[in-house]
Amino acid sequence: MENEDLTIEGRNAVLEAFRSGKTIDKIYILDGCHDGPVNSILREAKKSNTLIKFVSKERLDGLSKTSKHQGVIAVAAAYKYSEISDILQNAKDKNEPPFIFVLDNIEDPHNLGAIIRTANLAGAHGVIIPKRHAVGLTAVVARTSAGAINYTPVCKVTNIANTIESLKKEGIWFVCADMGGESMYKLDLKGPIGLVIGNEGDGVSRLVKEKCDFIASIPMKGDIDSLNASVATGVLAYEIVRQRLDI
């Protein structure tokens, strides 16, 4: 269910949001503030693995919509996150080999929304994103996904490289997009597979790339050297779809 008010301001409101089980992506706290209520909020945030940022009063005032933040602003997820087990179960329920999108630090909410939409249409069973240095399930992501966010599980993990390592034990192979890789048309991308897409500017990080079984490049004939992250995802995803359908 989409949450219209994505920022929660004030100590009591933020503490109640945590205690009610609301998914909080990150909290901003006034730098140097460590009184009782703030310490209670910090304890709840750490229990929930919420990203904590200590910022200046000027930054908080700029983020505030109410001017009554009391030194604390939380950013709630627009939608509830799933677990990796939900993604694997989704594949099992459909009697299909798992097909998972793994996003390594996508920062643009429009890209994330478009990728979730592509994941749904390509028949992927879920999307995995990192907790840090990446956009979460904001209202903009939800709108850009054109409703796909309601049907495609999105899971947030602490460490993408470790998650890939863990999913390999489930028999899943991983392919990442990189200009230095082998043409995607020459790779065998059938069976249980994870498609790894990197950050808009830096691509797939070195540690994550090292965990991948294949590195795939998209043949390009133009005068510029790269595709938008969501477009690259779509191109690679549909080569995987073509091979899964054995066309």
Side-chain angles (χ1 to χ4, degrees):
M1 175 65 75
E2 188 166 354
N3 179 355
E4 292 299 327
D5 183 13
L6 291 175
T7 58
I8 303 163
E9 303 186 30
R11 298 173 180 198
N12 287 339
V14 171
L15 197 51
E16 284 307 313
F18 275 114
R19 288 176 174 168
S20 71
K22 190 179 289 294
T23 302
I24 306 292
D25 273 343
K26 68 179 90 165
I27 55 168
Y28 295 94
I29 293 178
L30 181 63
D31 199 13
C33 189
H34 289 288
D35 59 23
V38 167
N39 284 337
S40 297
I41 289 167
L42 285 170
R43 275 196 300 274
E44 294 293 334
K46 285 169 185 171
K47 275 196 284 187
S48 306
N49 287 320
T50 297
L51 182 61
I52 301 164
K53 291 194 170 186
F54 291 97
V55 296
S56 66
K57 183 176 184 301
E58 289 73 25
R59 181 79 198 280
L60 280 172
D61 289 345
L63 290 167
S64 177
K65 295 175 183 174
T66 66
S67 302
K68 296 175 182 175
H69 55 72
Q70 301 174 310
V72 182
I73 296 177
V75 181
Y79 282 75
K80 196 172 187 309
Y81 292 101
S82 299
E83 302 292 332
I84 287 178
S85 56
D86 298 323
I87 294 175
L88 296 175
Q89 188 61 47
N90 191 18
K92 197 175 286 186
D93 290 345
K94 294 177 179 176
N95 200 27
E96 296 169 345
F99 179 16
I100 303 171
F101 284 21
V102 181
L103 310 183
D104 187 19
N105 297 344
I106 294 291
E107 296 174 341
D108 185 326
H110 295 95
N111 273 338
L112 179 56
I115 288 169
I116 293 170
R117 184 176 185 175
T118 297
N120 180 267
L121 291 168
H125 302 107
V127 176
I128 295 173
I129 63 174
K131 285 183 176 172
R132 292 174 177 268
H133 311 302
V135 67
L137 295 183
T138 67
V140 174
V141 171
R143 282 196 299 275
T144 312
S145 81
I149 202 168
N150 293 298
Y151 304 101
T152 300
V154 178
C155 173
K156 211 172 195 190
V157 300
T158 304
N159 187 296
I160 292 288
N162 288 351
T163 299
I164 288 173
E165 198 64 51
S166 171
L167 285 169
K168 281 184 173 184
K169 293 171 186 167
E170 301 284 337
I172 299 172
W173 296 76
F174 287 85
V175 57
C176 74
D178 188 87
M179 286 187 297
E182 191 171 3
S183 167
M184 64 181 188
Y185 297 121
K186 295 180 180 176
L187 295 173
D188 182 353
L189 304 175
K190 298 185 184 78
I193 196 152
L195 171 57
V196 183
I197 299 292
N199 172 272
E200 290 90 347
D202 300 326
V204 179
S205 61
R206 181 183 58 81
L207 278 175
V208 170
K209 196 185 295 184
E210 286 172 359
K211 299 288 183 187
C212 292
D213 301 289
F214 308 109
I215 299 175
S217 68
I218 299 169
M220 291 188 234
K221 302 289 187 186
D223 301 309
I224 56 173
D225 64 0
S226 64
L227 289 165
N228 165 280
S230 64
V231 175
T233 305
V235 172
L236 270 164
Y238 271 89
E239 174 56 19
I240 291 171
V241 169
R242 184 189 70 78
Q243 293 194 22
R244 283 165 81 89
L245 294 173
D246 208 18
I247 296 171

